Amino acid sequence: MRKLPKLLRFILPISALALAIPGLSSVAQAQGAQNEIEEIITTGTRRAQRSASDSAVPIDVISGSEFENMGSADLDDMLKTAIPSYNVDRHSISDAATLVRPATMRGLPPDNVLILVNGKRRHRSGVIAELGGDLAEGSQGADISAIPALAIKQTEVLRDGASAQYGSDAIAGVINFVLRDDAEGMIFEARTGEFSEGDGTMVQLMGNVGLPLGDDGFINITGTWMEQDPTSRSTQRTDAAALIANGASDQQNSVRQPYAQIWGGPEYRDNWNIFVNSGIQLTDSQELYFFGNYGRRETEGGFFYRNPNSRSGVYTDGSIRAIADTNTVAGQSGYTSNCPALTTPGSTPGSDPASQAAVVADEVARQNLPANCWLMNDVVPGGYTPQFGGNLVDASIVGGLRGEMDNGLLYDFSLSYGRNKASFFLGNTWNPSNGPDGFVNGALQRDFDLGSYVQSENNINLDFVLPIAMDGLASDLTFAFGGEYRDERFETLIGEEASWEAGRFAYQNSDGTNFYSDGVTPLPNLSIGAHGFAGFNPPQAGIWGRSNIALYTELEADITDRLTLGAAIRYEDFESFGDTTNYKIAGRFAVTDTFALRASYSTGFRAPTPGQENVTKVSTVTVDGELQQRGQIPPTNPIAVALGGAALIPEDATNISAGVVWDITDSLSLTFDYYQINVENRISQTGTVSITEENANDPAYAGINCPVTKGLDGSLAQCLQETGVPGAADLAGVSFYTNDFETTADGFDLVATWDTDWGNAGNGTLVAAWNWTETTVDNAGEEVDRNKVVSLETRNPHNRGVFTYNHFINNFRFLARARYYDDWIASGYSGDPTDRGPNGTGYTIDCVVQNFNDACYSGEVIFDLEAAYTFADRYTIIAGMQNVADEKGPVDQDNLDGDIGSGNTYTGTNPWGYEGGFMYLRFRAEFD
């Protein structure tokens, strides 16, 4: 992709076209701050015309124009800038979490935050973030990045528990995206940018048009297209550098340059989305509405490098070259191959002479192998790095009828359908178990279609609101009630056969009686499935679903001119695990006309998703700096049950908040809200549970049904292989979802807004937002390992602040933003492992104590700058830079977590990202 000149090729012809359009009135974009949208909210209350400042719970309103002042093209990054407790990273080498990035709010995972669009529940992504980091690992939230910022009129962020009002997932809060409803006007924007190191070039085109629909209706359409190149912040891996320095010439020429393994942001290709919002007045009191979207994108990133001298089951088996013997028959016994047991060459610079001699002897022997003896080293001698990616398709449609009856009863009947499909692919790899059989038309198959995850949801909602005049109250009593039916489905689709099949070399030594020509060294069993991410096979495929019904009621009124009270209760009955009832009470008391107190108490829940209950897959993870194959299995799998697993139940939560709202002057306001969120039966993945020494025939695992159909030795790993998990025979461990721990998050949000007037020097707005969140893990079970506990408590900085000042003068606008990040711990291990808390859980975090896995880092302030100029009252040019000091975070100098050995220059858990400064240029045109 070209750099900045590519943007000019988009901007210049479109600018000329826009300038040539006659008769269009102007919009002074640079003065946008003076045309504020009245902060009337629909989230957190069902009371008509309720403002955010009068709400009994904290609600932030982010106008669409605020998103216009951000350089990023991704809505997740925009929310990260606007909401201090919202954290999201550009994941590198994180399986599906690279495709749909899991975000956290108030220290809780994305599926603990309910996402609404126009007040209606947004469907989940098909991606389950098994490697999304400990805070979000195993979560399945909505794909917010599929929503284009230009389609948004305003965003309402309810920072309070709301399960009693909206149902499952609303533990940490609710984010409601209200779509544009203009019936006229047109907006066009083009933007480009790149990182300070000259990579990650991004180009985006966006357009929005509002059109009348009949005499009393509208249709508003937003379209976007974006592409972005990958980034790299890598150094050459130590083992790859050693191969280049000491390996044979063919190894030196085939190790990928400049880096064997890439650490950085993924590539986004052909990312486009269309959002439509429409409504039409059927009568004076009745409206028919419709909104929805359709979009696609392709994302690709890298995996870990496969070293040709250390990757067991692929290149080597311990210290012996892994040979595929074409004369063997799968499952046969008592066979002695004529293939020699070749010594694996060393890969460390400065190896001793004996080791170097072994390398030479091995290379000579390879030239004289019998024809039936096949080595992957001869085809790809320098190792390989699989490239993982996915094609995502996101679609939704919502339609409804709302209106008002003669008695004042408001009604809203709606139907919705949402679907998100993630189709995975893997390139630059192979299926080792196929050995030489993997050649297709003379070339070894290196690219595979792995299959798909599909999430689909249907919702039927019927909502009523009745204002009731009551003597003695300062307002009508708002009586809301309604019901919901929801049906949720998760589907796994089969990948191509070559991506999961067990080739004939998977079992060339199935019972340990087949040997190399020395009669002593066992022939190896080669790994099964596309190496790095085995495709989904028929036993893994299926459709799993669950339906539920809900009934709710809600009351709210001004008891006096100063006191507002509200209460809600919701009952839900789930098809799979029973029912739950949740409630909420909230109140606001105006001490004076400018100072008010507010508080709430609520219970909440999150139901496990059908995907979390049933997903099965194999992936490669790093355990203590070493690559291992890990199997993700359902918690009800007999092996998981034997290891402590059980059917998942809902998470239960209590949420307490209390705060103040203070309008200090006409131009200066402040809100402060404290909260405590306790989540019991919290759902997450276990750590990697070793199964290498466990045996399915052990009396302790007598309940496991393991049919030994191929003469295997009965280990748990091989049992999984036989019951439908491709590549399971190579597994070092498994993980599964569990309800086995509890967390408490304490924190506060402080938000201050100051409108300034500098006379002839212009005017501006300063917004200061601060969040403190501290999570404590309580009552963690044995399946939740210590590293995970510490990471949950320390992965995100406890304090984070965002200070944004927007200044307007004549046709110019200037923005300065400072983002503060507190101290943080990069890895999941710190402190004294014997120092447990009062409940037998929790650990002392002491950054003075430096162990191998410790990485404690100081906080940082990141600065952003932007300038805009508007001309002809409708055209605006914007230039800016995020992270102007090009802060990439701490260098991983001490090989902490094995990152330098893996080629990572910077710590991979940097909370603001390690890609550095991002420069951008935008052009915007608006017409009435």
Side-chain angles (χ1 to χ4, degrees), residues 11 15 188-191 871 875-877 921-925:
I11 289 180
S15 299
F188 167 78
E189 183 170 313
R191 70 172 74 189
F871 60 96
Y875 307 111
T876 304
I877 296 176
L921 178 66
R922 297 162 48 200
F923 172 81
R924 184 181 178 93

Side-chain angles (χ1 to χ4, degrees), residues 779-798:
N779 302 320
E782 293 183 0
E783 290 80 22
V784 181
D785 66 25
R786 181 179 183 281
N787 284 10
K788 187 178 186 69
V789 170
V790 178
S791 186
L792 284 164
E793 295 183 341
T794 63
R795 167 62 179 83
N796 278 344
H798 290 166

Side-chain angles (χ1 to χ4, degrees), residues 317-323 335-337 339-343 508-509 512-524:
D317 185 36
S319 61
I320 305 298
R321 291 288 195 194
I323 290 180
Y335 173 76
T336 300
S337 171
C339 300
L342 301 180
T343 303
Q508 63 180 359
N509 192 5
T513 63
N514 296 343
F515 301 94
Y516 284 100
S517 59
D518 62 8
V520 175
T521 306
L523 280 170

Side-chain angles (χ1 to χ4, degrees), residues 887-912:
E887 295 287 350
K888 299 183 179 71
V891 176
D892 224 337
Q893 295 175 335
D894 299 322
N895 201 22
L896 299 175
D897 270 340
D899 285 341
I900 289 295
S902 297
N904 198 2
T905 307
Y906 305 96
T907 175
T909 54
N910 182 341
W912 63 88

